[in-house]
Amino acid sequence: MMLIPIHKEMTCEALSALVSSRALEVIVAANCKQDSPRGQLGHDEYHFDNSAIEEGLRYINEQRGFIMASLLSASAISAWIAFGRLTHTVQDFYAHTNYVSLWLDAHAQNDTLPAPPEIDPVQKSLIESPKLCSGRVYFPLDMLYFIPFLRKLSLALLPRDSHGWMNLDSPEQGSLFKYARFAAVKRTQYEFELLRNILTPEMFAKFIDL
Ligand SMILES: [Zn+2]
């Protein structure tokens, strides 16, 4: 539920120099589609909601599998779509879990915090930490949170472990948003580099389409 324009912006920023413009267009569309109403209900794994950490990680792996299978068989388009879905989920990871807070706790020197661009998006000990969790979606309060004039009221009623309190979906959420955004862009590029490493040169060329 990171705002759709932010998903689009981050994906373009991460990939525009790396894949063809038609590949980018398909990737961005598939990424943003995950936040449609149909992609919201009953799909915690798309967005790392409700502490669906394992499910989210499994979903990311499945998309990597789809990318490989698609490039082995027919067109690159289904590979781009799968990569779009994957990038959405990895981006939501930083906005919906407490990864950013855990990373800052681990790297703060006295009272000085590292700058947002320094965030390491894949610190294994944190991804595997038992402390990692994400916001719980409470119905219907977490839905009312999205209606601007009801936001204050819903926050007053929502528990602290809710999506409403925990999310880093937009700059309005304060100083931690910047860390989540840098982590999301870096992770998107990290996933691209991972494909470069696991695909054959022919499959990779088909994927980048340049
Ligand atoms: Zn989402």
Side-chain angles (χ1 to χ4, degrees):
M1 289 180 230
M2 227 167 178
L3 305 180
I4 289 174
I6 296 178
H7 276 294
K8 187 177 174 181
E9 226 177 71
M10 295 190 304
T11 309
C12 291
E13 203 172 303
L15 302 173
S16 61
L18 303 171
V19 299
S20 72
S21 54
R22 71 173 174 170
L24 185 62
E25 208 175 299
V26 175
I27 292 166
V28 166
N31 176 317
C32 296
K33 198 175 166 216
Q34 298 296 87
D35 274 343
S36 69
R38 212 196 267 192
Q40 298 276 12
L41 288 177
H43 285 294
D44 291 340
E45 77 281 15
Y46 292 5
H47 320 279
F48 279 105
D49 284 328
N50 286 311
S51 289
I53 308 291
E54 257 175 61
E55 293 85 344
L57 296 175
R58 200 180 314 132
Y59 183 73
I60 292 166
N61 247 330
E62 274 169 19
Q63 301 316 307
R64 292 187 191 123
F66 277 128
I67 293 168
M68 294 210 266
S70 315
L71 291 169
L72 274 174
S73 58
S75 72
I77 294 178
S78 37
W80 296 335
I81 293 173
F83 192 61
R85 292 192 294 250
L86 181 156
T87 56
H88 185 99
T89 303
V90 300
Q91 291 166 0
D92 272 357
F93 178 77
Y94 305 99
H96 296 166
T97 70
N98 58 345
Y99 182 90
V100 167
S101 305
L102 294 176
W103 187 84
L104 286 171
D105 286 347
H107 297 271
Q109 302 270 354
N110 304 318
D111 277 339
T112 322
L113 297 177
E118 285 172 44
I119 191 165
D120 172 3
V122 287
Q123 190 176 325
K124 207 164 176 262
S125 58
L126 298 182
I127 293 178
E128 290 170 358
S129 165
K131 287 189 199 154
L132 188 72
C133 63
S134 72
R136 217 174 125 179
V137 179
Y138 291 89
F139 285 103
L141 281 172
D142 260 307
M143 302 298 113
L144 302 181
Y145 170 85
F146 287 100
I147 304 168
F149 71 93
L150 291 176
R151 178 161 289 188
K152 252 191 157 170
L153 177 68
S154 71
L155 277 177
L157 299 171
L158 276 165
R160 289 286 171 156
D161 69 347
S162 61
H163 177 273
W165 276 105
M166 281 184 67
N167 82 81
L168 300 174
D169 282 341
S170 73
E172 289 155 45
Q173 304 310 310
S175 59
L176 294 194
F177 170 76
K178 274 195 174 163
Y179 291 89
R181 195 187 185 287
F182 272 104
V185 172
K186 280 191 185 185
R187 177 65 181 272
T188 303
Q189 284 173 332
Y190 172 91
E191 293 294 332
F192 177 83
E193 292 306 323
L194 198 66
L195 291 183
R196 194 200 295 276
N197 290 329
I198 61 179
L199 298 174
T200 66
E202 295 76 21
M203 288 159 81
F204 186 69
K206 207 178 190 183
F207 183 78
I208 60 176
D209 186 45
L210 290 171

